Amino acid sequence: MFDVVVVGGGPSGATAAEDLARSGHSVALLDREGRIKPCGGAIPPRLMQDFHVGEEQLLAKIRTARMISPTGRRVDIPIENGFVGMVDRKDFDPFLRARAEAAGAARFTGTFVRMERDGGTRVVYRDRESGTERTLETRLVIGADGANSRVGRAEVPGADKIPYVFAYHEIIAAPMAGDYDPDRCDMIYDGRISADFYGWVFPHGDTASVGMGTELRSADLKAATADLRRACGLAQCETLRREGAPIPLKPLARWDNGRDVVLAGDAAGVVAPSSGEGIYYAMTGGRAAASACAAVLASGRARDLALARRLFMREHKTVFRVLGAMQDAYYRSDSRRERFVSLCHDIDVQRLTFEAYMNKKLVRARPLAHLKIGLKNLSHLTGLVRETYT
């Protein structure tokens, strides 16, 4: 009998399992293994601080972010007083799972099949090695099994109705010449690559992640990524891996079933709108789910599972709303995307954007700067600013 079974061993599930194990609870971590999520791999210093991730996990340190508009306009935004770390999920996720196991979590490899309740709660899974069904008895379950969460669809109302961006990327051997910069992330806002999101080139040391995302099911993600590679001079680079998956961009209205299951990470929809950033929010959501489970185990009140969503949204709700509004306002057409990149020329926008990214909160230290940005934003959206494309 476990106190908690965590289904899914990505950043969210591994963090939840580690937190619970370190606090003295008996934890089982069930993961499929072998699957690598398509991910740019960016992690901010706040993540490294909050979750004790050392620089030895980083493949690169990004010092500049380049925004590229539909007409080819380029805006380079320096990352002042710091850097954005880059990891490869192929290595980062196993590191987190191993750390959870070292903290005391029991590891199981297999695929979640269903929940059974007959005098107790049991997680039924298909063992990877034997192919047979096995069970784990538990008091509580954390579903951290991704955007198409089987746990969520089976147990939490509304979990099957979350909107997705479909993401695809290719891990390539990093070029040694050309315009590629191993210390710079490129974000390409161009309807020819993605009609409603963006494309990216993110360095990973000896490799790079090149990909795009879209909500349009009719889009050819592989063809769009091939176009992106040609446009960036990366078509001839060796392709090492190809990965694709849905990524949610809106938190679920409810994360638990009011009984014995709570969701975390992509399963709960906690990927940032506009940017698609997920690793930090997944780990934060995993920690919130672990805290909620610890509260239930201490109090015996199943309603305390709702603490997971409340704890997360208390800190991040405003940022998600602002980023969601930004995506709705600027990603709908190339003319809007052109104005968005133009807005990024502004030094106040640059500084406050990266202060918010690095610290994971909207900075209130410069109210006049916020007012200026609001007025400039309105001017760009209404077309009062005359665009000169070069």
Side-chain angles (χ1 to χ4, degrees), residues 120-346:
T121 298
R122 291 185 296 276
V123 170
V124 181
Y125 72 100
R126 181 168 290 105
D127 181 71
R128 180 178 178 180
E129 185 173 344
S130 67
T132 60
E133 288 191 358
R134 298 183 178 179
T135 62
L136 298 169
E137 294 190 40
T138 186
R139 297 177 65 184
L140 299 171
V141 175
I142 294 176
D145 51 335
N148 281 323
S149 169
R150 293 188 178 186
V151 176
R153 289 171 179 268
E155 296 292 332
V156 178
D160 59 340
K161 296 179 174 62
I162 188 169
Y164 302 109
V165 161
F166 293 88
Y168 172 81
H169 80 159
E170 297 176 356
I171 297 293
I172 65 171
M176 304 301 293
D179 188 48
Y180 177 83
D181 184 341
D183 298 326
R184 187 190 71 221
C185 281
D186 293 356
M187 285 153 282
I188 300 90
Y189 298 91
D190 187 338
R192 291 168 294 183
I193 302 300
S194 173
D196 56 352
F197 205 56
Y198 68 90
W200 66 81
V201 179
F202 287 175
H204 288 173
D206 294 336
T207 65
S209 164
V210 184
M212 51 78 68
T214 180
E215 287 189 62
L216 302 178
R217 293 179 179 266
S218 60
D220 188 330
L221 279 67
K222 292 183 178 180
T225 301
D227 290 342
L228 174 60
R229 288 180 60 171
R230 282 191 292 270
C232 295
L234 303 173
Q236 302 306 314
C237 295
E238 180 185 3
T239 303
L240 305 175
R241 301 198 318 262
R242 295 180 174 89
E243 295 149 3
I247 297 177
L249 290 183
K250 185 177 182 181
L252 289 172
R254 181 173 179 176
W255 293 6
D256 68 277
N257 67 353
R259 182 177 183 179
D260 53 8
V261 173
V262 63
L263 304 180
D266 280 12
V270 292
V271 177
S274 180
S275 68
E277 181 194 358
I279 300 177
Y280 171 79
Y281 294 111
M283 295 177 75
T284 302
R287 176 156 289 174
S291 297
C293 287
V296 173
L297 293 169
S299 69
R301 298 188 301 262
R303 66 175 180 271
D304 287 345
L305 288 173
L307 284 171
R309 191 179 192 280
R310 289 204 296 271
L311 289 170
F312 183 93
M313 298 304 286
R314 181 185 301 165
E315 183 170 1
H316 301 296
K317 175 176 65 177
T318 302
V319 171
F320 272 53
R321 283 181 176 174
V322 169
L323 292 177
M326 180 186 297
Q327 180 173 335
D328 291 342
Y330 283 111
Y331 286 16
R332 63 178 62 179
S333 68
D334 272 358
S335 62
R336 291 287 185 96
R337 282 187 276 268
E338 195 73 46
R339 295 184 181 278
F340 171 65
V341 174
S342 179
L343 181 65
C344 292
H345 273 290
D346 187 270

Side-chain angles (χ1 to χ4, degrees), residues 75 342-351 372-373 376:
V75 177
S342 179
L343 181 65
C344 292
H345 273 290
D346 187 270
I347 190 65
D348 289 321
V349 172
Q350 294 180 11
R351 286 177 176 170
K372 286 170 58 182
I373 290 171
K376 291 171 184 174

